Amino acid sequence: MLQFFFAYILIIAVANLIWEIAHAPLYTIWIDGTRAEIAFAIAHCTFGDVLIAGSSLSLAWLIAGRRGWPDKNYWRVAGLSLLIGLTYTVFSEWLNISIRESWAYREAMPTIGPLNTGLSPLLQWLIIPSLIFAWLKSAMRR
């Protein structure tokens, strides 16, 4: 379990760093911020992504997979982890965009749902963990 967790966190950190760099132009900081502010925002968000991923996986493991995981109940824990991460992301985007006004989307950011959540953060939390869970499951079979 611990070896899987560390592999997952390491890979998710790299993948989220790449995603954060790629979607930074969809936020107003890309236009309004200095290079240092943009770099700090990317690092800060990547660190937050790692915390969300680690917490989501840990909570999902506690709820659905303590015995024999990752050999047993792999997809149950992975799916629950995805759901937790996605739910937190929607909440965090709403809180930081609408309430705290900590950051803002540019017009280029497509939004969906009643909370006007950015499509890029939603896809980030659907695509990255899904691919990593699938890849690690495949690697475990070897």
Side-chain angles (χ1 to χ4, degrees):
M1 161 61 186
L2 211 49
Q3 184 178 14
F4 180 95
F5 183 81
F6 287 126
Y8 178 76
I9 292 301
L10 178 63
I11 298 165
I12 209 134
V14 172
N16 277 292
L17 174 60
I18 293 166
W19 193 289
E20 291 296 342
I21 291 167
H23 84 170
L26 298 173
Y27 292 86
T28 57
I29 194 169
W30 189 255
I31 300 297
D32 301 335
T34 65
R35 287 184 183 180
E37 290 169 332
I38 294 168
F40 177 81
I42 289 169
H44 176 267
C45 291
T46 301
F47 182 71
D49 295 333
V50 170
L51 288 176
I52 295 166
S55 299
S56 297
L57 178 55
S58 297
L59 187 55
W61 176 79
L62 284 171
I63 294 169
R66 284 188 252 183
R67 291 215 174 114
W69 194 85
D71 296 325
K72 295 179 181 177
N73 299 320
Y74 184 84
W75 290 112
R76 183 179 301 163
V77 171
L80 186 55
S81 179
L82 276 166
L83 182 62
I84 293 167
L86 190 59
T87 301
Y88 180 80
T89 296
V90 170
F91 168 75
S92 178
E93 290 291 312
W94 167 77
L95 181 67
N96 286 292
I97 294 285
S98 300
I99 304 301
R100 291 183 180 159
E101 299 179 351
S102 304
W103 62 74
Y105 301 140
R106 290 181 57 204
E107 288 183 21
M109 172 74 84
T111 58
I112 61 171
L115 300 178
N116 291 317
T117 305
L119 182 59
S120 184
L122 286 177
L123 291 176
Q124 179 179 8
W125 281 98
L126 285 172
I127 294 170
I128 292 175
S130 295
L131 290 176
I132 294 170
F133 277 121
W135 184 69
L136 287 173
K137 181 66 171 172
S138 173
M140 286 172 23
R141 285 188 221 140
R142 294 182 197 146

